[in-house]
Amino acid sequence: MLRIIGLSRREVAEEVKKLGVERLKAFMAPAVWGDGDVGVDEGRIRLTIGLVKFELWLGIIERLVNELGFTIRLREYKVEVMLKSSKAVGLARDWLSVPDIRELIELGASMPGGEKLSRIIELASMEMKELGSSSIVIPGTSVSMNIHIDSHCKVELRAKRKDENEALGLVEELRRAGYNPSIYVDGEDHVVSIAHARVRDSPLREPVCKKLGEWLEDEKNERRERIAKAMQNLKCLDDT
């Protein structure tokens, strides 16, 4: 287990960023028990982080999104990091597969006020369809964007917001980090976009190619051809 006695919060955050994937999953259990919630009907595990703690957690959040499939949403005074559907079920099952964590969950669920831990057990028993994650955290920012493949097998990164000011805030943050996004209106949504060429010719190519590679491995239908073509257009295989 992670040794945290005598460490500051910043030191703990730095140690957590170094954890392997399985130990990162284990770390998330007490984090969710303390600062999160579990929704069985929604098939959801959610961690809520105040803005004061957000800077410390940024590196961890990037790993949660890029490696575990979490999504991120900025609110006015907090950040929500969420795992949905079968990925949430899978994480709950991973927790229960570790004897020490399972013992704590079952003990807590049997005690007054243990409803959250009871919901973890209930969530782990559910069968849910895999939806996958289509988002990545843009390196150097707190912005989560979805990967969209158009009819020409070109990639576009998108972040949709109902509120125009919130969308403009995302544009400013992306530009401060050296990216060149655009913004347009689609129905009631304001869409912050990074076009294919700007993904291909920037550091964004590596995390996007990694996500597309995961999709290609998981897909078992006609979408494989579109994903493979998108990877070719993005020059994902040029360095292999």
Side-chain angles (χ1 to χ4, degrees):
M1 297 297 290
L2 179 66
R3 299 183 63 178
I4 62 174
I5 296 176
L7 298 182
S8 67
R9 289 184 178 181
R10 186 170 296 277
E11 289 171 327
V12 170
E14 289 299 319
E15 289 298 318
V16 172
K17 286 193 291 186
K18 302 174 186 177
L19 296 178
V21 173
E22 294 307 314
R23 295 185 71 195
L24 179 62
K25 291 179 183 179
F27 169 80
M28 285 302 297
V32 169
W33 306 343
D35 296 320
D37 62 272
V38 178
V40 176
D41 292 340
E42 305 90 340
R44 178 198 70 212
I45 293 174
R46 180 171 58 188
L47 181 67
T48 303
I49 303 170
L51 294 182
V52 173
K53 191 186 295 184
F54 175 66
E55 181 185 353
L56 292 175
W57 275 74
L58 182 56
I60 301 170
I61 290 172
E62 288 184 359
R63 292 196 62 195
L64 295 179
V65 173
N66 294 334
E67 298 178 34
L68 299 186
F70 278 77
T71 59
I72 180 175
R73 185 67 184 268
L74 290 174
R75 301 294 186 181
E76 188 173 0
Y77 299 109
K78 61 186 179 181
V79 178
E80 294 179 349
V81 189
M82 190 181 307
L83 196 64
K84 297 180 179 179
S85 190
S86 62
K87 291 186 182 295
V89 173
L91 182 56
R93 290 175 179 173
D94 287 340
W95 288 342
L96 292 176
S97 71
V98 180
D100 289 346
I101 296 178
R102 183 185 186 96
E103 183 177 353
L104 289 173
I105 291 175
E106 292 178 341
L107 178 62
S110 68
M111 300 176 67
E115 291 82 4
K116 184 187 298 186
L117 298 179
S118 296
R119 288 196 292 271
I120 291 174
I121 297 172
E122 188 175 353
L123 182 64
S125 68
M126 296 182 65
E127 293 291 340
M128 301 188 72
K129 183 179 179 181
E130 174 67 65
L131 296 179
S133 171
S134 61
S135 66
I136 63 168
V137 171
I138 305 303
T141 77
S142 63
V143 181
S144 176
M145 302 186 78
N146 288 327
I147 301 172
H148 173 73
I149 301 176
D150 68 17
S151 59
H152 301 289
C153 298
K154 298 294 182 67
V155 166
E156 178 190 8
L157 298 181
R158 296 176 177 174
K160 295 183 178 182
R161 296 292 187 270
K162 297 292 185 184
D163 184 85
E164 182 180 8
N165 290 329
E166 187 176 350
L168 290 173
L170 298 185
V171 170
E172 291 178 5
E173 182 174 354
L174 289 167
R175 286 177 176 167
R176 285 196 302 268
Y179 302 105
N180 193 7
S182 60
I183 186 170
Y184 59 88
V185 175
D186 181 13
E188 297 181 352
D189 293 318
H190 296 83
V191 183
V192 179
S193 168
I194 300 179
H196 178 92
R198 291 171 180 167
V199 174
R200 182 193 60 210
D201 300 328
S202 78
L204 290 171
R205 187 180 69 162
E206 182 176 351
V208 172
C209 285
K210 179 180 178 181
K211 181 67 70 172
L212 292 176
E214 293 172 359
W215 290 0
L216 189 65
E217 183 177 339
D218 290 341
E219 284 293 339
K220 297 179 176 62
N221 55 34
E222 65 277 3
R223 288 192 69 234
R224 287 179 58 88
E225 183 176 348
R226 291 186 61 216
I227 295 168
K229 183 63 176 178
M231 293 181 71
Q232 180 181 353
N233 289 335
L234 208 57
K235 301 183 179 180
C236 292
L237 304 178
D238 281 9
D239 298 327
T240 60

